[in-house]
Amino acid sequence: MIQRSYEENGIAENQQLIEELKALRREVAELKTEKAAFQAQKKLLEHSVATIIRASPEEEMLKATLQDTLDVCSQLTGAQKGSLFLLDRQGAVTDSILTQRETALKERDRLIGCVLAQGLAGWVYRQRQIGLIVDTETDDRWLQLPNQPYTVRSALAVPILRNEEVLGILTLLHPEPGHFSPEIAHLMQLTADQIAIVLENAQLYGKIETYSKALNYELEKGRQIQRDFLPNEIPQLPNLEIATFFSPARQVAGDFYDVFMLPGDYLGLVIADVADKGVGAALFMALFRSLIRIFSGQISLGGLSIIANEAELSILLESEMATNLYQINPLKAVALTNNYIAQQHAQMSMFATLFFGVLDPATGILTYINGGHETLFVVGETGIKASLNSTGPAVGMMPNMKFKIQQVQLEPGDILIGYTDGVTEARSPSGKFFTEKRLRSLLDRSALLPSPLLESITTDLFAHISNAPQYDDITMLIVQRKASD
């Protein structure tokens, strides 16, 4: 009796040890599978990042990701053939790839269409679960295609799911039966979530790239249109020489300059900087430029009267000069533009610093308004001889603002230089500003010729900026009254 009890206890202990050993083996197998899955996911992620880095503008990001994903899975499982295709919500194929990159297009289409309708991939799509075929000759889920170009005896198909939606199906093939084990199937099932993330990110990246290209195309058209708002031809006058410079910080800019003839053979000179940057500033740049030109000769726009009468307008322009009305009248455009912007676009809070001068080429008298703009300089043989400071507020901030008219004499040989704050506030790589002081030092030793002066400033300016980003638009306008021969 006692002997039998010992034997029964020994058998029970042995059975327990056997069960514990089996459990330990299962745990080790699971750990190995999880480790393999982790390595597979790591490899997929590395390939995904590498694909993004090496992708050229001409290469389709999604197609490259599909190919890399299929290649990695084939290497991990030892598959010799395979396919990976993406599906939309209705189950239609949106993109596909095969391990054999040289496979003919018609062969690929035939394969995908048939297997989705009747084959293993279709079964996986409908069941939303992994499909493992140990031997294609004994499993009715396998569809043998006519004129099959290669032998398939084992197959593994994995649904790529994201929130219960089938994003695609990965199919791996081998010419020998039993190649894909349940462990390999489990490995691919664990890896499928990572595949879904990789493909989803590739699709998102592709959409961003497409949107970015479309946006860049539209911005480029905007840049070209904006360039057309700058004067194509500068008026050529015998006793004046004019030089300009325009460098936007982005594809479109808020800076602008303008040079145009006015009634009485006067010359209109404008340099301005619209608040803010980008598309909004560029649109208002076009509006300001158009309004200044229009209001230089009239006081209505589209039937909308901005100022009731001449008496009301004269209140907004302060002038103590006795000069030709042809030279003063165009400056009304500043007050008119101010009121139009402030009244019609107040909700946008857009305004511009703006200098508008009317030059008499014959006498060298420049009558002007400086609406909150940077100081302009008149440069003579000994350096800076006059500073044209602000005579009123920025244009467009509030209606009925007052703008004072000033006047300066340009002697033969004198140079007038206007610029935007993109010059003085240009930053070096260390963040230091170019400064007005540095600009003044260049003007004090200038060569007294517009083009050489402009070249001297831009050379020093961009040497200061070096490889730092250009933070603001850079615009300059230089006018010289030539000395008589």
Side-chain angles (χ1 to χ4, degrees), residues 161-201:
L161 300 170
R162 192 73 171 160
N163 300 324
E164 300 302 318
E165 180 184 350
V166 181
L167 298 181
I169 297 176
L170 168 68
T171 304
L172 301 169
L173 310 174
H174 197 274
E176 298 177 0
H179 177 79
F180 301 108
S181 64
E183 289 76 19
I184 290 178
H186 185 51
L187 168 64
M188 285 294 97
Q189 191 170 34
L190 292 176
T191 309
D193 288 342
Q194 185 65 36
I195 296 174
I197 293 173
V198 169
L199 295 181
E200 195 173 45
N201 288 343

Side-chain angles (χ1 to χ4, degrees), residues 148-440:
Q148 177 79 28
Y150 47 82
T151 301
V152 178
R153 289 294 301 274
S154 57
L156 176 64
V158 183
I160 302 169
L161 300 170
R162 192 73 171 160
N163 300 324
E164 300 302 318
E165 180 184 350
V166 181
L167 298 181
I169 297 176
L170 168 68
T171 304
L172 301 169
L173 310 174
H174 197 274
E176 298 177 0
H179 177 79
F180 301 108
S181 64
E183 289 76 19
I184 290 178
H186 185 51
L187 168 64
M188 285 294 97
Q189 191 170 34
L190 292 176
T191 309
D193 288 342
Q194 185 65 36
I195 296 174
I197 293 173
V198 169
L199 295 181
E200 195 173 45
N201 288 343
Q203 288 175 313
L204 178 61
Y205 184 88
K207 290 178 181 178
I208 292 174
E209 282 289 290
T210 300
Y211 175 76
S212 178
K213 288 178 181 178
L215 181 60
N216 285 336
Y217 175 72
E218 293 300 324
L219 286 175
E220 178 59 24
K221 287 201 299 185
R223 185 191 69 81
Q224 293 173 1
I225 292 171
Q226 186 180 41
R227 284 278 185 178
D228 290 340
F229 274 98
L230 300 176
N232 290 326
E233 296 183 3
I234 300 294
Q236 300 297 313
L237 300 176
N239 58 339
L240 295 178
E241 184 176 344
I242 302 171
T244 62
F245 182 84
F246 177 70
S247 175
R250 302 178 185 176
Q251 284 173 293
V252 289
D255 280 12
F256 73 96
Y257 66 87
D258 204 359
V259 183
F260 53 96
M261 297 305 300
L262 290 164
D265 293 328
Y266 291 99
L267 185 68
L269 301 170
V270 180
I271 187 165
D273 183 359
V274 179
D276 206 358
K277 300 177 183 65
V279 175
L283 292 173
F284 271 88
M285 165 268 185
L287 179 59
F288 272 96
R289 185 261 191 187
S290 298
L291 290 175
I292 290 294
R293 282 211 174 195
I294 290 171
F295 290 147
S296 294
Q298 62 184 57
I299 58 170
S300 65
L301 181 64
L304 175 64
S305 179
I306 310 302
I307 298 295
N309 53 57
E310 290 290 330
E312 196 172 334
L313 176 63
S314 64
I315 295 175
L316 304 180
L317 297 175
E318 299 180 2
S319 176
E320 300 174 355
M321 293 166 290
T323 189
N324 193 319
L325 289 178
Y326 278 117
Q327 196 165 4
I328 290 182
N329 281 339
L331 295 174
K332 297 174 183 178
V334 176
L336 292 168
T337 299
N338 175 78
N339 281 9
Y340 182 86
I341 297 294
Q343 291 172 11
Q344 301 301 313
H345 301 286
Q347 73 280 4
M348 299 297 294
S349 300
M350 296 295 283
F351 60 89
T353 64
L354 183 148
F355 174 91
F356 181 23
V358 179
L359 176 65
D360 184 346
T363 65
I365 294 175
L366 177 69
T367 307
Y368 66 91
I369 289 175
N370 185 339
H373 196 70
E374 304 297 312
T375 298
L376 281 77
F377 299 109
V378 177
V379 183
E381 290 183 357
T382 58
I384 296 173
K385 58 188 295 187
S387 299
L388 281 53
N389 298 316
S390 176
T391 66
V395 180
M397 297 182 68
M398 295 179 62
N400 300 324
M401 300 295 289
K402 291 188 177 182
F403 299 91
K404 188 174 183 179
I405 296 174
Q406 294 279 17
Q407 204 170 71
V408 68
Q409 174 72 53
L410 297 184
E411 301 293 343
D414 284 352
I415 288 179
L416 170 72
I417 176 169
Y419 56 94
T420 58
D421 60 6
V423 174
T424 54
E425 295 180 5
R427 300 181 190 179
S428 68
S430 63
K432 292 183 179 180
F433 289 124
F434 187 75
T435 71
E436 182 182 308
K437 180 180 180 181
R438 185 163 175 175
L439 175 62
R440 282 174 172 267

Side-chain angles (χ1 to χ4, degrees), residues 123-173:
W123 183 89
V124 168
Y125 176 76
R126 292 187 294 273
Q127 300 298 320
R128 280 169 166 69
Q129 67 183 49
I130 199 165
L132 172 61
I133 294 180
V134 177
D135 191 342
T136 58
E137 293 185 358
T138 60
D139 196 314
D140 59 9
R141 291 176 298 176
W142 181 254
L143 176 66
Q144 187 67 33
L145 297 172
N147 301 319
Q148 177 79 28
Y150 47 82
T151 301
V152 178
R153 289 294 301 274
S154 57
L156 176 64
V158 183
I160 302 169
L161 300 170
R162 192 73 171 160
N163 300 324
E164 300 302 318
E165 180 184 350
V166 181
L167 298 181
I169 297 176
L170 168 68
T171 304
L172 301 169
L173 310 174

Side-chain angles (χ1 to χ4, degrees), residues 83 85 87 91-93 96 98 105-122 126 143 145:
S83 65
F85 46 89
L87 304 170
V93 176
S96 63
L98 302 181
L105 180 62
K106 64 178 182 179
E107 180 182 330
R108 182 193 63 190
D109 292 341
R110 184 181 77 243
L111 170 67
I112 294 173
C114 292
V115 298
L116 266 180
Q118 306 172 44
L120 178 62
R126 292 187 294 273
L143 176 66
L145 297 172

Side-chain angles (χ1 to χ4, degrees), residues 43-93:
K43 198 166 187 179
L44 281 170
L45 181 60
E46 289 173 349
H47 274 253
S48 176
V49 172
T51 299
I52 291 173
I53 292 173
R54 72 168 186 266
S56 63
E58 296 79 18
E59 185 178 8
E60 294 182 22
M61 177 66 195
L62 182 58
K63 186 73 72 177
T65 302
L66 287 174
Q67 187 68 64
D68 279 343
T69 302
L70 182 56
D71 290 346
V72 169
C73 292
S74 297
Q75 293 168 14
L76 291 171
T77 62
Q80 291 192 7
K81 305 278 185 183
S83 65
L84 175 57
F85 46 89
L86 304 185
L87 304 170
D88 62 18
R89 293 179 181 273
Q90 287 71 44
V93 176

Side-chain angles (χ1 to χ4, degrees), residues 409-483:
Q409 174 72 53
L410 297 184
E411 301 293 343
D414 284 352
I415 288 179
L416 170 72
I417 176 169
Y419 56 94
T420 58
D421 60 6
V423 174
T424 54
E425 295 180 5
R427 300 181 190 179
S428 68
S430 63
K432 292 183 179 180
F433 289 124
F434 187 75
T435 71
E436 182 182 308
K437 180 180 180 181
R438 185 163 175 175
L439 175 62
R440 282 174 172 267
S441 69
L442 293 173
L443 298 180
D444 280 332
R445 60 174 189 266
S446 72
L448 289 183
L449 288 172
S451 294
L453 174 58
L454 186 60
E455 183 178 354
S456 171
I457 296 172
T458 54
T459 298
D460 196 50
L461 177 64
F462 284 97
H464 172 80
I465 295 173
S466 185
N467 60 352
Q470 183 181 325
Y471 289 98
D472 202 357
D473 308 323
I474 296 174
T475 306
M476 286 181 277
L477 172 65
I478 300 179
V479 181
Q480 181 180 42
R481 185 185 180 203
K482 295 180 181 179

